[in-house]
Amino acid sequence: MLILIAGITGNMGQALLRAAVSQGHRVRGLSRSADKLSPDLRASLEGFVCLSTYYDIPAIEKAVAGVDAVISANANVPGLTLEGQLILLRAAERAGVKRYVATSWNADWTKIPLGKHESYDEFIMFKRHLDLSNLSSGVTIEPIYIFTGILAEFAFRAPSDMTEVPEIPWWNPTSGTAVYYGDGKCRWQWTTFADAAAYTIDIVTSKNAESGGIYSVLSDAGDVFYMAQVWKEVTGKDIKLIPAGEVEGLREFAMAGRKAHPLSQWKKYIGPFYWLNQIEGDWIQDEDTLYTSEKVVPTKLKDFFEMHKDWYAKF
């Protein structure tokens, strides 16, 4: 298949490119510039289309022409997640594309209401709008949404060029500490970029992809004590577990931050809500119904730490 990846120069976009090529597909890229791609990744592309803004419709229509599937891998930027993605999806519909993966790869926000977690509001509004709308053309894409829990490179501070990192300072290899609230038995769920990308390509190229749907995938899961145990096994070093207080104190802190800032400044206060919503189980994925594939072997935490052992060794 020929797959268009919008936002191909980001970490997820590049992981998707590698996964698609490894699974035997051709890839076209869409982004503002190809400069972030290494020479070998650029050489693996069928083509690359530059766009000036997310509403550069001529560039978007050029990009979607003739492709079999579209994956929106753009960063969660206000406006881009909702407006930009609607423009991309409508262009894909006009081009006759029927396979579309919506920007997701996060906690399962279908389980929470609008306003519960501001950084997910545009995702919720995008899906809700599509659920309500009916194009006069009669051609409607049924998007695919893929939930991964937190991305492992975020959670464990592994090497990444991401500029937007959720404020979850639970794991700090520099100081050898991990922070937790309550009894620390909250079960966290995570997926590596590579695993998320491999699952995505497998799903969007499957025979059921045109029907859309919600998919949950994970690399691994566990509480902070499990993380510390695996860290010790791999590095030989201890992680000092620091209790930060009770969950009610976290809730009060989170709510105070929300009250102190206007909605447009949600990035200044959203961090504690990642903790709070996970601890309270608001978006926990059902691990008994995860999507599996013969093409993907989930990266367990021990393997993840081993992969980045040289980088972690400097701490």
Side-chain angles (χ1 to χ4, degrees):
M1 287 189 179
L2 175 57
I3 303 170
L4 173 69
I5 300 176
I8 197 169
T9 58
N11 275 23
M12 183 56 74
Q14 294 188 40
L16 287 163
L17 170 55
R18 294 187 182 95
V21 171
S22 70
Q23 292 186 30
H25 303 287
R26 296 179 298 145
V27 176
R28 183 181 299 168
L30 175 66
S31 190
R32 287 178 296 178
S33 171
D35 292 345
K36 289 184 180 180
L37 295 178
S38 63
D40 62 311
L41 287 180
R42 285 200 297 267
S44 69
L45 291 172
E46 175 268 352
F48 185 91
V49 178
C50 292
L51 78 169
S52 57
T53 65
Y54 68 70
Y55 45 84
D56 185 350
I57 294 177
I60 293 170
E61 290 187 332
K62 178 181 178 181
V64 299
V67 302
D68 301 298
V70 173
I71 302 176
S72 176
N74 291 311
N76 181 17
V77 177
L80 181 58
T81 302
L82 177 58
E83 297 172 4
Q85 194 170 194
L86 282 172
I87 292 171
L88 176 62
L89 180 135
R90 296 312 189 200
E93 284 183 324
R94 292 193 297 274
V97 177
K98 295 183 179 180
R99 297 166 183 257
Y100 184 96
V101 177
T103 305
S104 40
W105 306 290
N106 39 28
D108 187 352
W109 38 259
T110 65
K111 296 182 177 181
I112 62 173
L114 193 67
K116 177 77 172 181
H117 191 82
E118 287 84 343
S119 66
Y120 290 161
D121 278 355
E122 289 203 11
F123 295 97
I124 296 170
M125 289 188 285
F126 173 79
K127 184 177 185 302
R128 185 65 170 169
H129 174 77
L130 294 182
D131 289 344
L132 291 169
S133 64
N134 182 19
L135 292 184
S136 59
S137 65
V139 180
T140 303
I141 289 177
E142 295 291 342
I144 293 167
Y145 304 90
I146 301 175
F147 297 119
T148 60
I150 188 172
L151 290 164
E153 285 79 357
F154 284 161
F156 301 106
R157 298 297 191 267
S160 169
D161 63 5
M162 282 289 186
T163 57
E164 297 287 344
V165 179
E167 187 183 338
I168 310 180
W170 63 354
W171 191 266
N172 190 334
T174 304
S175 62
T177 60
V179 175
Y180 66 89
Y181 284 88
D183 60 11
K185 295 181 180 180
C186 167
R187 187 170 180 82
W188 291 84
Q189 300 172 315
W190 58 86
T191 307
T192 67
F193 277 104
D195 287 357
Y199 279 123
T200 300
I201 299 302
D202 184 58
I203 291 168
V204 77
T205 58
S206 69
K207 63 180 181 181
N208 297 322
E210 293 184 13
S211 298
I214 295 171
Y215 294 80
S216 287
V217 301
L218 291 176
S219 294
D220 205 354
D223 60 24
V224 69
F225 304 105
Y226 166 69
M227 302 170 201
Q229 176 187 341
V230 176
W231 177 264
K232 180 69 177 289
E233 291 175 4
V234 174
T235 68
K237 300 176 182 178
D238 288 312
I239 281 285
K240 182 179 180 181
L241 301 180
I242 302 175
E246 296 303 317
V247 176
E248 186 55 38
L250 172 63
R251 181 181 294 104
E252 292 175 359
F253 177 68
M255 294 301 180
R258 175 178 280 165
K259 186 176 181 180
H261 296 88
L263 185 59
S264 61
Q265 296 180 14
W266 60 260
K267 288 187 178 183
K268 292 185 178 181
Y269 62 80
I270 200 65
F273 285 99
Y274 282 98
W275 293 57
L276 187 61
N277 291 322
Q278 187 72 26
I279 291 171
E280 296 188 333
D282 291 332
W283 50 41
I284 292 291
Q285 293 167 232
D286 183 355
E287 295 179 29
D288 292 327
T289 60
L290 296 175
Y291 177 81
T292 60
S293 170
E294 295 179 353
K295 297 179 182 179
V296 186
V297 178
T299 305
K300 296 302 179 183
L301 186 59
K302 184 176 181 179
D303 298 325
F304 180 80
F305 283 155
E306 289 282 3
M307 288 166 55
H308 300 292
K309 192 172 182 178
D310 291 344
W311 186 81
Y312 283 128
K314 67 182 180 179
F315 299 121

